[in-house]
Amino acid sequence: MTTTMTPTTRMPRGLRTMFRDAHVTRLAVVLVALLAFFAIVKWPNFSSVATWQSMAMQFPEFGLLALGVMLTMVLGGIDLSVVGTANMTAIATAMLMLKIAPEGSASSTGYLALGAGVAFSLVVGAVAGAINGFLVAKVKIPAILVTLGTFELYTGIALVISGGKPISGMPPEYAYVMGSRIASYIPMVLIIFVIGAVIVWYLMNRTAFGTKLYMLGSNETAANFTGLKTTSLIVRTYTISGVFAASAGLVMLANYNSAKADYGSTYTLLAIL
């Protein structure tokens, strides 16, 4: 018995998925059309390496937020607190690094502050996300109300601990690592986003966690009858969203070399979109 290979079946799995999903296909067509339009209208700027490097520096901020929000939306919820989480963790991390490595500290101390700051930020982001998940899963408050409330809470915490002022003067080692470029062209923050996207792809396509997430998001009642531990799944999903928000906070801290409670105020709708 022979199998006829059509052009579609010979495509990589990712492309086959795109052509099977009409929504993704339309988005791809719109993206190509927009790129073609700007290439025709503004070719000198469009073809400039500096333009693409600038984009690669800017979009990972809300790109990382979007990855976390996406997971909660697949679940059937939403996370409106991501910007508040990002700013709160960025401010707390900046203050910790300045405490460990004040101005004039040795390079080794600066790298110690960098490592401690990154670890601290991710832990705080995970805790903030877990609080959201607990309130949604156990207290049974709608996700939109929980995350809107915690957005205000986390923003308030950021305002209190920073006194409403920007925290600046990061150790130079932080800017050196986070602001570096691979092969002189690719920004480190873009690499961080790509790593995050690969992690999400792996979780959603290669693990039982992703399958359960789709099941719960498609039909919560049926998922409960199958024996899924929905509470644990919801808490873990919002925890991951908090970690991605904290990662976005670290990128914002690197891009601005400072942290403030109202940075990225327009990113929430972009992340949801």
Side-chain angles (χ1 to χ4, degrees):
M1 179 178 179
T2 59
T3 302
T4 303
M5 294 292 290
T6 65
T8 302
T9 58
R10 287 196 297 267
M11 291 180 180
R13 181 180 177 185
L15 289 178
R16 293 203 305 270
T17 301
M18 185 186 80
F19 282 103
R20 282 201 303 265
D21 190 325
H23 300 293
V24 177
T25 303
R26 282 194 289 268
L27 285 173
V29 171
V30 169
L31 174 61
V32 171
L34 283 172
L35 290 175
F37 172 78
F38 286 115
I40 294 170
V41 174
K42 290 285 186 180
W43 174 251
N45 292 336
F46 182 85
S47 60
S48 170
V49 174
T51 298
W52 291 92
Q53 285 181 332
S54 177
M55 291 170 59
M57 289 290 293
Q58 294 174 18
F59 93 84
E61 297 175 9
F62 57 84
L64 287 165
L65 297 176
L67 290 174
V69 172
M70 183 195 71
L71 293 177
T72 63
M73 293 181 75
V74 169
L75 187 66
I78 198 167
D79 190 350
L80 301 177
S81 70
V82 286
V83 173
T85 302
N87 286 324
M88 178 183 69
T89 55
I91 288 172
T93 299
M95 295 177 70
L96 175 65
M97 288 195 294
L98 289 173
K99 189 74 173 178
I100 296 174
E103 188 176 354
S105 298
S107 177
S108 58
T109 307
Y111 284 113
L112 174 63
L114 167 64
V118 170
F120 176 73
S121 176
L122 297 180
V123 169
V124 172
V127 171
I131 291 172
N132 288 338
F134 174 80
L135 292 174
V136 172
K138 292 293 288 184
V139 187
K140 302 297 183 182
I141 304 174
I144 191 170
L145 296 181
V146 168
T147 56
L148 186 59
T150 53
F151 165 76
E152 298 292 346
L153 172 64
Y154 299 153
T155 302
I157 292 173
L159 283 168
V160 170
I161 63 178
S162 66
K165 301 176 182 178
I167 308 297
S168 57
M170 298 302 102
E173 290 76 17
Y174 185 80
Y176 174 76
V177 173
M178 297 293 288
S180 61
R181 297 177 187 271
I182 307 300
S184 301
Y185 291 104
I186 306 173
M188 177 59 71
V189 293
L190 178 62
I191 299 298
I192 293 172
F193 169 77
V194 170
I195 292 172
V198 170
I199 290 172
V200 170
W201 168 83
Y202 182 80
L203 286 175
M204 300 303 292
N205 292 278
R206 292 292 186 269
T207 68
F209 173 82
T211 303
K212 293 174 182 177
L213 208 62
Y214 282 121
M215 289 176 62
L216 183 57
S218 300
N219 192 323
E220 183 176 356
T221 302
N224 285 325
F225 277 112
T226 62
L228 284 184
K229 297 179 180 179
T230 56
T231 298
S232 172
L233 190 62
I234 292 171
V235 172
R236 281 184 288 161
T237 303
Y238 279 92
T239 300
I240 294 172
S241 180
V243 170
F244 275 106
S247 302
L250 291 172
V251 171
M252 292 163 64
L253 183 60
N255 285 345
Y256 307 137
N257 197 33
S258 63
K260 195 178 179 184
D262 61 353
Y263 281 168
S265 56
T266 61
Y267 287 173
T268 302
L269 290 180
L270 286 171
I272 293 171
L273 176 64

